[in-house]
Amino acid sequence: MVQCKNLTKKYGSKVALRDATLHIYPGNIYALLGPNGSGKTTFMKILGDLTKQSSGEVLFEGKPLSIQSRKDIAYLPTESQAYPFMTVGDYGKYHKSFFPEFQEEEYKRMLEEMDISLKLPFKALSTGMDKKARIAATLARNAKLVLLDEPFNGVDLLAREEIEKMILEVMAEDKIILLSSHLVEEVESYVNIALFFSEGKLIATEDVEGLRSDRGMALSDRYRELFGKGGE
């Protein structure tokens, strides 16, 4: 479980995240939703221990984030960090050298299912292939907390379906997956909980199934209610 209490992040006078308080439970896929600049990436980077909060507290499995906890946390940034000359196979070996728990055979299996050759250099990959290879590597970490920042950004429908398949295949009762996306209608079918951010604030938390059964609302309807004209 991840416990966040009054998480705040400031960059000079700008407040990127303001007083976020919530519990995040294993066995769930969370969608972080909201306009650009609403605090989603900042929130993910704090959970990934890639940036420190200005104030507040975050606990992972009851303990503050540390070097030891990083082995159980996998983070996919929006932009590719693979070297252009590196092959897809080398990228797996690179991960293995940094993360002993990295499942290289699982990485290769996912790539094979998507027809991505281990011999291809990243400079020869399309945007979609690059994203699929990097997501496969992130998921092959077998981490308890997986953070995917805009995993569907810049990829076509078929690539999105392959990415969704990978995510659902690795999901387990002891795992938490957080993903940010602007494709609200497409993630609705498989995310459990939606976290809505606006101007650095967590403004709503919704159980997706409960939203449908109790209020008769689709996730996209709730998004429009919060961010459309007259919303937050």
Side-chain angles (χ1 to χ4, degrees), residues 35-114:
N36 289 330
S38 59
K40 303 185 300 295
T41 294
T42 298
F43 180 66
M44 279 194 173
K45 286 185 174 180
I46 291 174
L47 295 192
D49 203 23
L50 298 172
T51 188
K52 295 294 184 183
Q53 65 268 28
S54 302
S55 61
E57 181 181 47
V58 56
L59 301 177
F60 176 59
E61 297 191 325
K63 299 177 182 179
L65 295 174
S66 65
I67 293 175
Q68 287 73 30
S69 63
R70 288 182 184 177
K71 67 181 179 63
D72 290 317
I73 302 173
Y75 173 73
L76 174 84
T78 304
E79 301 301 325
S80 179
Q81 294 181 323
Y83 296 112
F85 60 82
M86 184 179 284
T87 68
V88 175
D90 289 339
Y91 192 62
K93 291 182 174 64
Y94 174 82
H95 271 70
K96 184 67 175 179
S97 67
F98 279 95
F99 308 108
E101 73 281 0
F102 181 76
Q103 299 179 322
E104 194 167 5
E105 292 307 311
E106 178 66 8
Y107 172 64
K108 292 177 181 179
R109 182 194 66 78
M110 287 188 279
L111 293 172
E112 184 177 353
E113 286 193 357
M114 296 184 291

Side-chain angles (χ1 to χ4, degrees), residues 70-213:
R70 288 182 184 177
K71 67 181 179 63
D72 290 317
I73 302 173
Y75 173 73
L76 174 84
T78 304
E79 301 301 325
S80 179
Q81 294 181 323
Y83 296 112
F85 60 82
M86 184 179 284
T87 68
V88 175
D90 289 339
Y91 192 62
K93 291 182 174 64
Y94 174 82
H95 271 70
K96 184 67 175 179
S97 67
F98 279 95
F99 308 108
E101 73 281 0
F102 181 76
Q103 299 179 322
E104 194 167 5
E105 292 307 311
E106 178 66 8
Y107 172 64
K108 292 177 181 179
R109 182 194 66 78
M110 287 188 279
L111 293 172
E112 184 177 353
E113 286 193 357
M114 296 184 291
D115 293 322
I116 299 177
S117 171
L118 294 171
K119 297 179 181 180
L120 283 173
F122 270 84
K123 63 183 178 182
L125 301 183
S126 65
T127 300
M129 291 175 72
D130 176 291
K131 185 65 70 74
K132 287 188 291 185
R134 291 191 298 115
I135 290 174
T138 303
L139 297 178
R141 288 271 315 279
N142 195 31
K144 294 180 180 179
L145 175 60
V146 179
L147 308 166
L148 305 175
D149 197 357
E150 294 290 348
F152 308 114
N153 189 37
V155 301
D156 62 24
L157 174 63
L158 296 180
R160 288 200 297 270
E161 289 178 346
E162 289 180 309
I163 292 168
E164 289 166 3
K165 182 174 181 288
M166 281 193 288
I167 292 171
L168 293 173
E169 282 180 346
V170 304
M171 188 56 196
E173 287 300 313
D174 64 343
K175 191 183 296 288
I176 299 169
I177 295 180
L178 276 79
L179 60 88
S180 61
S181 179
H182 293 291
L183 303 173
V184 182
E185 293 175 341
E186 294 201 15
V187 302
E188 181 172 5
S189 64
Y190 58 88
V191 300
N192 307 107
I193 299 171
L195 307 175
F196 292 93
F197 287 81
S198 177
E199 297 180 345
K201 295 183 292 185
L202 175 64
I203 61 171
T205 301
E206 298 288 357
D207 179 281
V208 177
E209 182 57 38
L211 193 63
R212 283 192 291 262
S213 60

